[in-house]
Amino acid sequence: MTAPNRLPDRLLPLQAAILEQINAHHIDVPMLPEVAGKVVRLTQDVDSDASELATLIQSDQTLAAHVMRIANSALYSPNSSLVSLQQASARLGMKLISEIALAASINSSLFNTPGYEEHIQYEIRCSLMTGLWAKEIARVSRRNVEAAFITGLLHAIGRPIAVQTALKVAAESNTTLDTAEVLALEDKFQRQIGVQVVEQWEMPRLVVDVVRFFDCYNDAGAARNQTMIAIAAEAFTHHFMSEQGDNNCISREELVSQVVLAELNLYRDEVLELLEKQDLVKSAMEAMTA
Amino acid sequence: MSNNNQYDMLIVGSGPAGQKAALHAAQSGSRVALIEKTRELGGSCVHRGTIPSKTLRENALRVKNMRMNAELANFELPEDVELATLINRLNDVLLAHDTYMRRQLERSSVELIHGRARFISSTEIEVITVAGEKFSLTGECIVIACGSHPHHPDNIAIDHEHLFDSDSVLSMMYLPKSLIVLGGGVIASEYASIFQALGVEVTMIDKYPLPLGFLDSDLTETFVNGFKHMGGTWLGETVVTRAYWNGFDAVIAETEDGRQIKGEKLLCAAGRIANVKELGIENANLKLNDRGLISVDENLQTNILGIYAAGDVIGPPSLASASMEQGRRAACNALDMPPGIMHNIIPTGIYSIPELSSVGLSETQAREQYGRVLVGVARFDEIARGQISGIQNGMLKIVCDPAGKKVLGVMIVGEGATELIHIGQMALLSDARVDLFVESIFNFPTLAEAYRAAALDIVHQRKKL
Ligand SMILES: Cc1cc2nc3c(=O)[nH]c(=O)nc-3n(C[C@H](O)[C@H](O)[C@H](O)COP(=O)(O)OP(=O)(O)OC[C@H]3O[C@@H](n4cnc5c(N)ncnc54)[C@H](O)[C@@H]3O)c2cc1C
C-alpha cells in the first residue's frame, strides 16, 4: 500500500487530535506480553542461567510451541527432530530465544486495527526481516551485532500503533477514512509514536535512539552507526519484500546505491557479498514465522 | 580533487604511516594525494586499536583503583554495565583527533581521496569510490601504508557476536561476565588485563609458557602475577584446537589435551596480516614475502623502484610510533631528502595492567650478544613513590655491557612504564654510561628514581668484577 505525499485538509482536525494524544502521552501502547519482557530481561541478566529460561518458556504454551518449531526447522536441526524443550532451548541459545520471544510477541493480534490486519502482518514481517538483515550488516561492518536484531525489529514499531490510533481517533470523531488516508496518517505519526512505544516498553537506550533518529541518523550521536545499520537493513528488506508484490521491490541497483550503505563505508562488492546471505536470512525468517 | 591526476606522490592508507608520509612530502612542496578507503582518517590506530583500547584502559584503571581503595569508597561496578559507557569519551577523543588530522593535512595541501586503491601498474593506481565510481591516478612515487587486520585462524569461528577479534571486541554490548582471550602477544595481554581489571573473569590461553615472549621472563612473570592477583587465569603451554559458540549459553575453547574451557565471550588475538588483498600488488610486480608482508630495504623501498612501504604492512615492530617514523622516512627517501639518522632504538609500550615497556636489548638478547652482562634491578616497592602510590609489583631493570658501563637496554613493568622508558631511551641514544643515572638528581619522590637505584645496583656489582 502506498500513501499520498500530502494529507488532505479535511484530515487536519484528525491530525491535531492524534498529535494531542502523542504530546499528552495518551497513545494506547499495547502491553508487551509478559513472557516476552521476561525473556528479554532474563537473557540480558548476566546472572541468569539456562534452566530459568527453560522454565519460563515452559510456562507459556505459545512460546514453547514456537521455540520447538524453530528448533526443529531445517535451519537449526537439519537431521534430527527434537522432542525436548530443554534440548530445543539448548540448540537455539539464550540470545536467539530472546529474539524469538520478542518477534513472536509482536504479532498482529497485539494491535487493534480492524480492516488492516494484513497490512500490519506485512509490516511485522518486514520488521523481522530488517532485524535479521541488521545482524548480517553489523557483522560485516564490525559494529554491534548483539543490538542489531532488536533495533531492526523495533525500528518501525510505531506503524501498527499509528494505524490503530488513526482508526480510533477517526471513529471517535465519526470520520471515515480511506486506506490512503490511514496510511498517510501512519506515515506521518509512526516515528513519534514509535519512540513512545519503545520508551514505555523500557527498551535499552540504544533502541530508543535508533527509533528516534531513524529519519535523521546524523543527529543520533552515539547511536549513529546502529541507526544506519537499521536503515540499511530496511533497504535490504525492501529489496526482497513489497506489499504490492515483487515488482515493487527496490531493485538490486537501487539497493547498492543507497547512500546509507556508502555512509557505512560498504563498497559495492561488500554489499553484493552481503546479498549472498539472502538464503540464510530467508530460512531464519521462515523458521521464525513458521 | 584536482582535474590533473598526476601526482608527485601517491599514498595508500591514512594510518600513522600514511599520514606522516603525506605531511612530510606535502610540506616539502610536492603534490600529494592520500587515498583512504574508510570515511575516517587515522587507520586502525585511531579507530580500532590504540586509541579505543587505551580509552577503555583509562576507565579500567579507575575501576581498579576504586576497588583497591575499598576503605575510601565501597565500589562495585553494576553487573550489566554497557561497554559503551566504559569508553564514554571515545567519540569525543576520535572526533577531536579526526578534526585535527584533517585540518593538518588540508593545511599542508594534501589531497584527501576517499576510495579503495588498487595498482594498475607500478606508477598508476585505480581508485574505486564507495559509490562505485572509478578513476585512476599516477604518481612519480607511491607509498604503501595500508596497515594490517586481525588474522582469523580456521578453527576459531569468529562471528563478532560471541567470538570477537580485536577489531570488533569493543562492539560488545555489555561487559561480559567471563572472557576467554586466545593469544599471548601485546593485544591479547592488553585486553586480557584491561577486562580483568574491570571485573570480568578472564582466561588467557597461549601455546607458549609465558605471554610476551620477546620480553625477559622476570618481567612477564611480574605481569602474569599481577594479572593473577586481579583474579585472571593464565593457561600457558595450552593449544586450542577449536573454539565455537555452543549455540546456547557459552563459547567453548577445546584444547589439545582434551579440556573444554567455557566463557561468555571470546577474543581471538592471533596476530595480524597485511592489508594487501584489495591492492592488486601483482599489477605493480610487487611480491609478498613468506609472512604475507611487503619486504623493503633499509630505505623502505620495495623491490620496485619508486614504490615504498611503511607501517604494519612491512611487519614488526607494528607500532603506531614506529609506523609514523617509517612513513616520514619513506617520504624523505622517495623524494631524495635526507631523512636523518634512523635510530633503531624504538621503545615498545604495552598498555596492559600493569604496563610494560622496553627499549634496547633485553637481558636475554644481551647475553646472546655479549655473554656475561651486568644487570641492575630496582623494585618499585623499594622506592618511596612506589610505596606511596601502592605500586607493589613493578620493577625496572637496566642491562649493561660486561664492564658494567655502557647501557644496552632498559625494561620496566609497572604503572608509568611507558613514560618512564624514555629516560632510558635518551640514555641509549646518547650512548650514556650507567653512571649518569647515579650522578643525576631525580625528583623525590618519583618512580624515575628507580633508574638511580638500578644503576647503583650495577655500580656495586662492577666493583666486584
Ligand atoms: C588493539 C590494538 C592496540 C594497539 N595499541 C598500540 C599502542 O598502544 N601503541 C602503538 O604504538 N601501537 C599500537 N597498536 C598498533 C598500531 O595501531 C599499528 O601499528 C598502526 O596503526 C599501524 O599504522 P599503519 O599506518 O601502518 O596502518 P593502519 O593504522 O592500519 O592504517 C592503514 C590504513 O590504510 C587503509 N587502507 C587499507 N587498504 C587500503 C586500500 N586498498 N585503499 C585505501 N586505503 C586502504 C585502511 O583503511 C587504514 O585506514 C595497536 C593495535 C591494535 C590492533
Side-chain angles (χ1 to χ4, degrees), chain B residues 11-13 17 117-119 125 142-148 272-318 326 330:
Chain B
I11 296 160
V12 184
R118 189 174 166 275
F119 278 100
I125 281 183
I142 295 174
V143 177
I144 305 173
C146 50
S148 62
R272 298 182 63 87
I273 37 180
N275 277 336
V276 284
K277 208 176 105 210
E278 297 158 344
L279 209 56
I281 55 167
E282 60 289 349
N283 298 339
N285 285 325
L286 281 161
K287 284 190 187 72
L288 292 181
N289 61 28
D290 50 11
R291 296 174 60 203
L293 304 163
I294 295 182
S295 300
V296 290
D297 63 16
E298 67 284 3
N299 294 323
L300 297 146
Q301 183 164 228
T302 64
N303 62 313
I304 303 297
L305 197 72
I307 303 185
Y308 293 74
D312 280 13
V313 78
I314 63 169
S318 301
Q326 289 167 355

Side-chain angles (χ1 to χ4, degrees), chain A residues 50 93 146 262 265 267-268, chain B residues 37 39 131 173 177 247-248 265:
Chain A
E146 285 175 289
N265 216 74
Y267 284 77
R268 295 287 162 105
Chain B
K37 77 170 180 180
R39 200 163 285 285
M173 182 107 175
K177 200 165 180 184
F248 183 28
K265 304 273 179 189

Side-chain angles (χ1 to χ4, degrees), chain B residues 294-371:
Chain B
I294 295 182
S295 300
V296 290
D297 63 16
E298 67 284 3
N299 294 323
L300 297 146
Q301 183 164 228
T302 64
N303 62 313
I304 303 297
L305 197 72
I307 303 185
Y308 293 74
D312 280 13
V313 78
I314 63 169
S318 301
L319 288 169
S321 50
S323 303
M324 289 184 216
E325 175 59 5
Q326 289 167 355
R328 187 189 72 81
R329 296 186 78 81
C332 286
N333 293 332
L335 297 170
D336 256 344
M337 298 188 299
I341 307 160
M342 173 71 181
H343 292 289
N344 46 18
I345 297 171
I346 301 170
T348 305
I350 301 156
Y351 292 83
S352 46
I353 298 179
E355 271 174 31
L356 290 142
S357 197
S358 74
V359 68
L361 298 183
S362 67
E363 186 179 338
T364 319
Q365 288 167 330
R367 285 194 198 288
E368 276 162 18
Q369 271 186 41
Y370 292 85

Side-chain angles (χ1 to χ4, degrees), chain A residues 44 46-47 50-51 53 89-95 99 135 138-147 204-206 221-222 224 256 259 261-270, chain B residues 36-40 48 79-80 82 91 114-116 128-132 150 152 159-162 164-165 167-168 171-177 245-249 264-265 278:
Chain A
Q44 284 185 2
V46 281
D47 276 337
S51 58
L53 184 70
S89 10
R91 171 154 303 166
L92 298 178
M94 294 264 251
K95 195 98 71 50
E99 290 171 1
K135 270 188 125 177
R139 229 186 283 284
V140 169
S141 49
R142 301 280 205 282
R143 319 264 185 202
N144 192 330
V145 181
E146 285 175 289
R205 168 84 197 272
L206 187 67
R224 186 172 182 271
V256 294
V259 176
L261 294 173
E263 281 286 319
L264 280 167
N265 216 74
L266 289 172
Y267 284 77
R268 295 287 162 105
D269 54 327
E270 291 167 331
Chain B
E36 169 55 57
K37 77 170 180 180
T38 64
R39 200 163 285 285
E40 309 87 15
R48 305 212 187 258
E79 288 266 3
D80 54 353
E82 284 186 36
N91 270 346
H114 177 202
R116 191 198 273 161
I128 176 155
T129 71
V130 73
H152 292 176
D159 58 7
H160 309 291
E161 193 175 2
H162 312 101
F164 295 85
D165 63 18
D167 268 6
S168 60
S171 74
M172 263 193 268
M173 182 107 175
Y174 298 98
L175 200 60
K177 200 165 180 184
W245 166 240
N246 73 353
F248 183 28
D249 61 348
E264 191 185 327
K265 304 273 179 189
E278 297 158 344

Side-chain angles (χ1 to χ4, degrees), chain B residues 255-277:
Chain B
T255 65
E256 213 171 45
D257 53 9
R259 272 179 293 173
Q260 283 206 338
I261 296 144
K262 249 181 154 184
E264 191 185 327
K265 304 273 179 189
L266 178 144
L267 164 66
C268 173
R272 298 182 63 87
I273 37 180
N275 277 336
V276 284
K277 208 176 105 210

